[in-house]
Amino acid sequence: MKRAMTTLVLAGVILGGLAARATDPAALKERNETQAQRDARMQWFRDAKLGMFIHWGTYAVAAGEWDGKEVGNCGEWIQCWRKVPAAEYAKLAAQFNPVKYNAEQWVRAAKDAGMKYVVITTKHHEGFAMFKTAASPYNIVNATPYKRDPLKEFVAACRKHGMRLGFYYSQNLDWHHPGGGGGEWDPAHKGDPDAYVSKIVIPQVREILSNYGPVDVLWWDIPGGAINKPRADAIHKMVLGLQPKIIMNNRLGGGYQGDTETPERTIPANGFPGRDWETCMTMNETWGFKKNDHSWKSSSTLIRQLADCASMGGNYLLNVGPTAEGEIPVPSLERMTAIGKWMKVNGAAVYGTSANPFPRKPAWGRVTQKGEMLYLFVFDLPANRRLVLPGLKNKIKGAWLLADSAKAQLAVASGETAAVTVPEGAALDPYATVVAVQLDGKPEVDPAPMTVIAQGADGLLALKAEDVVIRGETAKLENDHIGFWTNAGDSVAWTCSITKPGEYKVVIEYASETKSAGAGFEIAVGDAKVSDKTVSTGSWQKFSTATVGTVKIGKAGKTTVSVRALSKPGDGVMNLRSVTLKPVAAM
Ligand code: FHN
């Protein structure tokens, strides 16, 4: 029954993964639109894939320190971490004078990084408005020596460079204005939430949606708290009256789904099938500037996260936290330059694409699709250099490295062993190599493929855990190996296509804790069988290889390689990462 359930669930995930964006009717009702109208409104966002998030406020003056002491966690929360009363915290504004701010430079940096939209904080939880507002004197024009509205220049630069514009607004948390969410550490902050919404939120949101022209994204944050249903209704209604096409995320509150899911600093394993979504990500560990946060993610990590999001039909909103002087930190700019260089060559594999058509992410990387093209992002090229495309029903018409303007054709196989082979000596990109694959039509994929593993040109047959079929109750794929193999009756099997009959050495890669060592197992290659017992590798996470014996494969064609337990002295049989058949002699 469990097995059947597993299949059912898998099928469910597969179908969910492949589902078109059939929006929840409630979400359509929120905007009083049809699916077609929503699709038209969301198309630029779906095509854009990559944006820049900007967290900028007086917290940049603090820069992660208060009273000379480093404050942990995100820099834009420093007032909360140190429970600073509003009146004391507001003194930062008098030190906020971003004389090095250059909106043109910021937008150019985003554009050169391949970013298609930017979302900038207009008011974060500190309650400080980064724009001229009549609702409160606590704003950059009235409360700082800078006296200018940086949003005006920023918006002008976005218009000049064709950059879509988004405003972030903290509608609930506001640690300055009485009645705002949070701020309970400051008795002076106590107030009426209705007054806060009507005197601060409504007027300020009206200002940012009226005074800067068309706004493409409104990025709410922290739903709930001060924003109950009636207040959310009033805000939502006003926004649509001012900017009817605007995209809003799922964080307004009041039960509004919004247009986009917003995982932050994480990438959901399967995306959000059927929903638009965007992962927002810090380059280090903070949204707002912290002078001592040097834990920067590598450019490779950031590019692969972008590919991961795009491969699941999502966007990647990458954050910068400018300094109080108005500069984007150099490490952020360095990463944006690297991303831009990579996007210049590989952007076609990202922009305007949709999710991977295959039911699972390949172990070697990610996949996107666009029209009759597949784009294979190779993070870790398999030893046999084959990029298997399980269940692909199309004929592959051609394949080439996207970076190769000459489009030198790569070896391809269609049918049950559909794959593209990356030749020795191919120029690989250290961040991610993209292979373009031209099909004979839009991708068609078997939603529950039986992966057929082919031999490499050298005859090697590399059978990896992610391509195995599991028969049993407990064993399951766990990252790059089969784990939880606690039921001796479970077994695993691969379907292989043999093109080179001959004698082969059978090599297994497994891990076993000491007290489970000694488990007997048998590997069957067609009718030929070899067996052995496990030895301790030290832990379930420490893998080693062992040659189990040699087998003869007498004829070409499809054959099954399986592994089953013969005995189980301890908790588990083994953690199995791979079985490899290495040619000894041709027949
Ligand atoms: O509390 C904020 C945080 O400061 C930052 O703005 C992130 C960005 O998505 N949103 C909230 C945390 O979920």
Side-chain angles (χ1 to χ4, degrees):
M1 181 57 182
K2 188 168 176 291
R3 174 90 181 121
M5 281 303 289
T6 306
T7 308
L8 199 56
V9 166
L10 181 64
V13 166
I14 290 165
L15 294 177
L18 297 173
R21 280 182 224 269
T23 304
D24 174 350
L28 294 176
K29 191 162 177 291
E30 275 180 21
R31 300 297 292 261
N32 191 24
E33 65 188 353
T34 63
Q35 182 67 51
Q37 288 166 331
R38 181 187 198 84
D39 290 342
R41 181 169 64 86
M42 296 299 298
Q43 195 57 53
W44 76 262
F45 179 84
R46 293 170 182 170
D47 290 344
K49 290 288 184 278
L50 175 61
M52 176 162 80
F53 213 171
I54 303 172
H55 275 71
W56 199 30
T58 65
Y59 40 77
V61 175
E65 271 190 5
W66 198 264
D67 290 342
K69 290 200 194 70
E70 180 73 17
V71 178
N73 292 315
C74 293
E76 72 286 355
W77 273 69
I78 196 162
Q79 183 182 355
C80 175
W81 304 140
R82 295 302 296 271
K83 303 286 179 272
V84 183
E88 184 188 342
Y89 183 84
K91 291 174 188 163
L92 286 178
Q95 304 166 55
F96 191 28
N97 189 14
V99 293
K100 293 181 182 172
Y101 168 63
N102 183 317
E104 171 70 17
Q105 282 176 0
W106 287 17
V107 175
R108 267 304 335 197
K111 184 173 186 178
D112 293 348
M115 295 161 167
K116 298 295 183 184
Y117 64 108
V118 284
V119 178
I120 188 167
T121 52
T122 62
K123 184 199 79 158
H124 204 265
H125 312 334
E126 63 180 7
F128 183 80
M130 292 297 288
F131 60 97
K132 170 73 177 153
T133 171
S136 165
Y138 194 48
N139 70 73
I140 192 165
V141 174
N142 298 126
T144 75
Y146 189 62
K147 301 193 184 309
R148 280 165 41 201
D149 179 340
L151 289 199
K152 285 246 181 273
E153 296 153 44
F154 186 76
V155 170
C158 287
R159 305 298 186 217
K160 175 181 170 186
H161 292 286
M163 188 70 74
R164 292 271 186 168
L165 173 67
F167 285 152
Y168 165 109
Y169 187 85
S170 178
Q171 78 285 0
N172 168 22
L173 296 187
D174 183 316
W175 303 323
H176 181 84
H177 300 99
E184 57 287 336
W185 58 83
D186 178 359
H189 182 264
K190 202 162 174 44
D192 171 9
D194 278 324
Y196 161 67
V197 171
S198 58
K199 292 189 168 57
I200 300 293
V201 177
I202 295 273
Q204 288 190 335
V205 172
R206 183 182 298 284
E207 286 172 321
I208 60 174
L209 298 186
S210 306
N211 301 341
Y212 300 93
V215 179
D216 299 290
V217 176
L218 188 48
W219 219 96
W220 300 117
D221 208 357
I222 315 284
I227 309 300
N228 58 23
K229 179 87 171 81
R231 294 172 193 142
D233 289 346
I235 293 167
H236 195 265
K237 185 165 183 277
M238 174 188 67
V239 169
L240 294 191
L242 294 168
Q243 301 269 355
K245 296 281 184 203
I246 202 163
I247 290 173
M248 285 189 267
N249 67 12
N250 62 346
R251 299 191 181 191
L252 170 58
Y256 283 90
Q257 289 190 43
D259 299 314
T260 58
E261 296 298 317
T262 52
E264 70 173 65
R265 302 183 68 190
T266 179
I267 298 172
N270 296 304
F272 288 89
R275 277 280 279 170
D276 292 294
W277 63 278
E278 165 193 76
T279 270
C280 54
M281 185 60 71
T282 55
M283 286 198 204
N284 49 11
E285 297 301 316
T286 177
W287 300 97
F289 177 69
K290 283 182 77 175
K291 62 186 172 190
N292 294 327
D293 181 333
H294 307 298
S295 51
W296 300 97
K297 297 173 184 69
S298 68
S299 300
S300 177
T301 296
L302 301 174
I303 285 168
R304 292 185 177 194
Q305 289 184 342
L306 165 61
D308 199 10
C309 290
S311 77
M312 296 183 284
N315 285 20
Y316 188 59
L317 185 65
L318 188 55
N319 183 71
V320 297
T323 66
E325 292 72 33
E327 293 185 298
I328 294 175
V330 169
S332 298
L333 293 172
E334 288 168 345
R335 284 150 181 81
M336 289 169 68
T337 301
I339 293 168
K341 199 159 159 263
W342 186 87
M343 286 295 276
K344 234 180 212 40
V345 173
N346 301 291
V350 176
Y351 301 128
T353 61
S354 47
N356 169 17
F358 297 95
R360 287 195 312 214
K361 295 178 186 177
W364 40 261
R366 298 295 182 265
V367 180
T368 59
Q369 60 171 308
K370 184 164 43 180
E372 299 184 354
M373 296 299 295
L374 289 177
Y375 294 101
L376 316 183
F377 297 76
V378 184
F379 297 166
D380 307 299
L381 187 64
N384 63 9
R385 309 182 74 85
R386 289 169 58 76
L387 306 175
V388 174
L389 302 170
L392 181 66
K393 295 180 178 175
N394 301 80
K395 182 176 179 335
I396 297 177
K397 292 170 70 176
W400 60 91
L401 296 180
L402 188 57
D404 175 10
S405 54
K407 294 189 180 181
Q409 289 300 296
L410 307 182
V412 300
S414 298
E416 282 187 331
T417 58
V420 177
T421 301
V422 177
E424 293 286 351
L428 301 180
D429 185 304
Y431 295 149
T433 302
V434 177
V435 174
V437 183
Q438 169 80 52
L439 304 177
D440 63 355
K442 281 176 75 67
E444 283 182 64
V445 172
D446 176 345
M450 164 69 77
T451 304
V452 179
I453 311 295
Q455 287 177 282
D458 57 3
L460 196 80
L461 191 62
L463 306 176
K464 292 186 175 297
E466 67 270 358
D467 294 320
V468 86
V469 172
I470 300 169
R471 298 188 184 98
E473 298 302 314
T474 62
K476 65 178 183 176
L477 186 62
E478 185 193 12
N479 299 322
D480 65 347
H481 62 270
I482 300 299
F484 299 93
W485 193 345
T486 55
N487 174 11
D490 292 0
S491 65
V492 298
W494 291 269
T495 301
C496 311
S497 170
I498 299 298
T499 49
K500 300 177 185 324
E503 189 175 3
Y504 289 82
K505 198 161 64 161
V506 182
V507 179
I508 189 171
E509 186 182 14
Y510 72 91
S512 174
E513 66 174 4
T514 302
K515 70 181 169 78
S516 292
F521 63 91
E522 175 192 80
I523 300 178
V525 179
D527 298 331
K529 292 182 174 61
V530 288
S531 60
D532 202 345
K533 287 191 178 197
T534 61
V535 298
S536 168
T537 62
S539 78
W540 289 124
Q541 283 69 43
K542 278 176 77 179
F543 287 81
S544 63
T545 58
T547 298
V548 185
T550 58
V551 294
K552 281 195 174 61
I553 302 175
K555 59 183 178 17
K558 238 192 275 178
T559 191
T560 298
V561 177
S562 62
V563 184
R564 72 184 181 94
L566 301 176
S567 61
K568 185 177 74 81
D571 295 342
V573 175
M574 66 172 82
N575 278 359
L576 173 60
R577 181 177 276 167
S578 69
V579 171
T580 304
L581 271 59
K582 296 184 175 180
V584 173
M587 292 293 264

